[in-house]
């Protein structure tokens, strides 16, 4: 058995144990392969936490969004990324300004 097959078998076994123990939701960091494997097992997987790149803005006073202001000041303090939960409207705002974000942690619904 190859290492990758062993990891997927162990992951499947862990998910089954958690489900039998009565756990309803798990919050895990997943790779794209593991996410796809879990979805193929029939579990619902959705992004929970996102890594967002920070950047500065020219005129910070004219921005209405506190998210954009937070990203501006984090960049000023030397942070290149931040991890946070994003709502749908915040994702649309980041897309509008061309700020990159990607999922880091996922919620796995076992029931």
């Amino acid at each position: 058995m190859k290492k990758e097959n062993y990891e997927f078998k162990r992951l499947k076994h862990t998910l089954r144990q958690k489900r039998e123990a009565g756990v309803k939701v798990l919050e895990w960091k997943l790779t794209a392969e593991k996410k796809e494997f879990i979805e193929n097992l029939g579990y619902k997987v959705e992004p929970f936490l996102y890594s967002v790149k920070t950047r500065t803005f020219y005129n910070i006073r004219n921005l209405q969004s506190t998210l954009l202001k937070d990203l501006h000041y984090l960049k000023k303090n030397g942070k290149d990324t931040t991890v946070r939960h994003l709502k749908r409207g915040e994702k649309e705002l980041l897309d509008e300004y061309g700020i990159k974000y990607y999922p880091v942690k996922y919620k796995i619904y076992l029931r």
Side-chain angles (χ1 to χ4, degrees):
M1 182 180 293
K2 293 186 177 182
K3 181 181 177 184
E4 184 176 321
N5 291 340
Y6 175 73
E7 288 179 7
F8 285 138
K9 183 177 178 174
R10 203 171 108 219
L11 177 63
K12 182 178 178 181
H13 180 70
T14 304
L15 290 172
R16 188 179 300 131
Q17 279 184 333
K18 296 282 186 183
R19 185 175 182 184
E20 289 172 359
V23 177
K24 294 180 181 178
V25 179
L26 297 172
E27 295 173 3
W28 283 357
K29 288 184 180 182
L30 297 174
T31 62
E33 295 85 20
K34 287 183 180 180
K35 177 184 177 279
E36 183 179 336
F37 178 74
I38 292 171
E39 287 175 337
N40 288 337
L41 290 175
Y43 298 111
K44 182 181 174 189
V45 180
E46 69 179 24
F48 176 60
L49 291 178
Y50 294 88
S51 177
V52 182
K53 296 213 178 247
T54 59
R55 64 169 273 206
T56 57
F57 295 96
Y58 175 67
N59 196 352
I60 194 73
R61 287 187 214 133
N62 290 340
L63 295 176
Q64 297 296 324
S65 171
T66 57
L67 173 64
L68 296 177
K69 289 180 182 181
D70 289 343
L71 294 177
H72 172 81
Y73 288 118
L74 285 170
K75 183 66 174 184
K76 286 283 199 173
N77 288 330
K79 302 284 185 183
D80 290 330
T81 59
T82 182
V83 176
R84 61 176 43 206
H85 176 73
L86 294 177
K87 297 178 183 172
R88 186 181 319 134
E90 293 172 336
K91 290 179 197 175
E92 292 171 0
L93 182 67
L94 293 177
D95 289 336
E96 180 182 329
Y97 279 89
I99 299 172
K100 295 181 180 178
Y101 61 93
Y102 56 93
V104 177
K105 271 193 173 182
Y106 296 89
K107 277 190 176 181
I108 304 168
Y109 295 98
L110 301 177
R111 300 236 174 211

